[in-house]
Amino acid sequence: MWTGACWLAKESKITEALLKERDKQAKWNGIPLLLQKLYENSHPNSDFSQCQGILKEISPLLSMEAMAFVTEDNRKAAQESTFPNTYTFDLFGGVDLLVEILMRPTLITQKKKQKISDDLIKDCLSILYNTCICTEGVTKRLAERNDFVLFLFTLMTNKKTFLQTATLIEDILGVKKEMIQLEDIPNLASLVSSFDQQQLANFCRILAVTISELDTGSDDKHTLLAKNAQQKKNLGPSRAEVNQATLLNIPGFVERLCKLATRKVSETTGTSNFLQELEEWYTWLDNALVLDALMRVANEEAEQSSTESSDESGLANTSARTQLPQSMKIMHEIMYKLEVLYVLCVLLMGRQRNQVHKMIAEFKLIPGLNNLFDKLIWRKHSASTLVLHGHNQNCDCSPDITLKIQFLRLLQSFSDHHENKYLLLNSQELNELSAISLKANIPEVDAVVNTDRSLVCDGKRGLLTRLLQVMKKEPAESSFRFWQARAVESFLRGATSYADQMFLLKRGLLEHILYCIVDSECKSRDVLQSYFDLLGELMKFNIDAFKRFNKYINTDEKFQIFLNQINSSLVDSNMLVRCITLSLDRFENLSDIKVAEVLSECRLLSYMSQMTMRMSFLFRLINIIHVQTLTQENVSCLNTSLVILMLARRKDKLPFYLHTLQEMEYTQKYPGFILNNFHSLLRFWQQHYLNKDKDSTCLENSSCISFTYWKETVSLLLSPDRTSPWAIVSYIEEAYMDIDRDFVEE
């Protein structure tokens, strides 16, 4: 069978009568004939005057099928059937012809270039998008045409065709094998500067695909072995990193994003523009459900207004008129902020992190978000809160829910190991930190002293305090618990700060976490891990925290539930185990009556002080990981086992610990299986952490042990000298030795 492009070129050899006859038999609905007319009316010297009329005939045939595909009720049936009209359109060269029509003005060198009307461009884009939805392979084919992809960006300068262009670009970039280089887009800086705020927010949807590493979604699941191998292959920054740098070089780009993220709903553009855009969305099928849901919200409010004031119809109508646009504007703003916060979050995690931090602090992103917290970000759900078909208000697909999660991810990225984290507080709260340090007779943290008070949160509460308030009210089954704990934990990460810990302890955070772990007996592994990590940061080296812990966990039954939760998954709880071990070691070296009292009374510290318990944790930590299965998520188990052994080395007990591990192997009737595995893990540790690109400060901050001591301990353990009491090989019999394997990913 001929291809579409060939057929259009040979149309003169096929009589119209023959084509009509074949059309009836094949049920092509006249599409080949219409394409033939379109081809004849779009030659290089034509004025395209007839083209739009022809497209108006083709469009309903394709949009009908596309609507069937995107409608929730029919999606299953739609996926199981074919789409004959869009298939026929593509088969007879429709896609290639529309691309040629769109790009014709850029390809002709003559002085008087052809002018295509905005309406014709819209129709071409709409039909292309419908075909992409329904016909497999069309989107990928368009994605392979780099010239066409870059050309589409030039159409975004036209406000009338912006929405259609943006949606098609997003679809194409989603399947493109190679990430597009933003610097290849003609006049990118002037293109972005030409966007109004709504267009910029929509443009962020496209940017999300171009600045995110392709596999970041499952980052924790990829083995470190595979990541390290990939890093060796990748010379220089990735395309995503280059694209991030390109964006940061656009004058005013980050400032505009900050303004978009923090503007209030009352500052948005007029209702008429918004409703006009919604009207355009209706023709753009992937947004039809959004419009549908918005209209439902509007109708509910209108009905509510009329029933509340049935006797005063004039007042009711006025109420409906004022409420209706406000609901829509709020949801509109939420959907915009989602895209903007995502881009800011990715930039905050990129190579230019410090540059981005400086800019978003200067442009007051954090105080702006603080002012929006109650009324928009964490607003109360109303009966008419927008949800998409087939979902509910608590579904992660709801725009309200997604905005909250994106907001929490941004806070996590912002606070993590950065001194700007104190911008999350207001001036009074910063003063409180200073007072805590003064009372404890310890120096103030430099970052607190150096924080620019003009850039911090205003109002009665800072953003961190607001987050703590909603965190404590969160229902047990809430999907936010994980993200809330992660955001608060990131504030504590870095060098341990007693003042930061006490600030949160005074607000009841420890009791809240213990309630969730013990009293509500949380079952979610993700939430449990986030709580254990947060608890570890909150309690580390803090005798007051252990005292509070003992006051709350005041019965053997509660303590046993707590231990069961820890032991249910050491991958999830190992950071807390590390915290307890480190804290116990420090407390034992202090000569303080208060510390001695807590040491003797605290169930948790007494439990960890038992050698058998420490050895049990060490044995299991080594046993649950292997080089081939190490990921970003579970590598902490290896580092926790090393912390236990470094503390043992400080007390000259390292040989005793290694000998005990050997005895435990024999008890399990599998000599060598733990120590061989540990040897391999430590060899990998050297490859991974002694890489020049690796930042060792995280290991130092989490343990308060110098990285030099980490390296020395690993070298001692890996010594080939079988006479050394600190070498692992000294505790493995020759017959069971298996330490020289190459690392191969399974």
Side-chain angles (χ1 to χ4, degrees), residues 541 546 579-589 599 604-610 614 651:
F541 307 133
F546 280 90
C579 146
I580 303 164
T581 308
L582 285 162
S583 300
L584 175 66
D585 181 76
R586 178 174 290 191
F587 296 155
E588 286 176 338
N589 292 320
L599 269 174
L604 191 56
L605 292 171
S606 300
Y607 179 82
M608 193 58 78
S609 67
Q610 301 172 51
R614 289 203 298 276
K651 296 179 178 180

Side-chain angles (χ1 to χ4, degrees), residues 663-695:
E663 287 182 339
M664 293 171 82
E665 286 180 331
Y666 277 88
T667 304
Q668 298 276 347
K669 295 185 170 52
Y670 200 163
F673 83 108
I674 283 290
L675 292 172
N676 276 312
N677 183 43
F678 193 41
H679 194 280
S680 295
L681 287 165
L682 292 180
R683 282 171 56 216
F684 176 82
W685 188 95
Q686 284 185 324
Q687 286 185 16
H688 186 69
Y689 284 104
L690 302 187
N691 184 314
K692 63 180 180 180
D693 292 332
K694 283 291 169 192
D695 184 2

Side-chain angles (χ1 to χ4, degrees), residues 178-192:
E178 271 200 337
M179 189 178 286
I180 192 172
Q181 292 286 147
L182 291 177
E183 59 189 5
D184 292 340
I185 298 171
N187 305 312
L188 176 65
S190 58
L191 174 68
V192 172

Side-chain angles (χ1 to χ4, degrees), residues 709-723:
Y709 199 79
W710 283 79
K711 291 189 291 184
E712 288 173 358
T713 305
V714 172
S715 295
L716 279 173
L717 289 165
L718 289 179
S719 169
D721 181 4
R722 289 180 61 80
T723 64

Side-chain angles (χ1 to χ4, degrees), residues 552-569:
Y552 190 91
I553 305 295
N554 54 5
T555 66
D556 291 340
E557 184 186 3
K558 276 188 171 184
F559 187 59
Q560 193 54 54
I561 293 171
F562 184 76
L563 289 181
N564 290 344
Q565 291 282 47
I566 285 181
N567 289 314
S568 65
S569 176

Side-chain angles (χ1 to χ4, degrees), residues 188-201:
L188 176 65
S190 58
L191 174 68
V192 172
S193 66
S194 73
F195 293 154
D196 60 29
Q197 289 295 74
Q198 286 175 293
Q199 288 175 318
L200 183 61

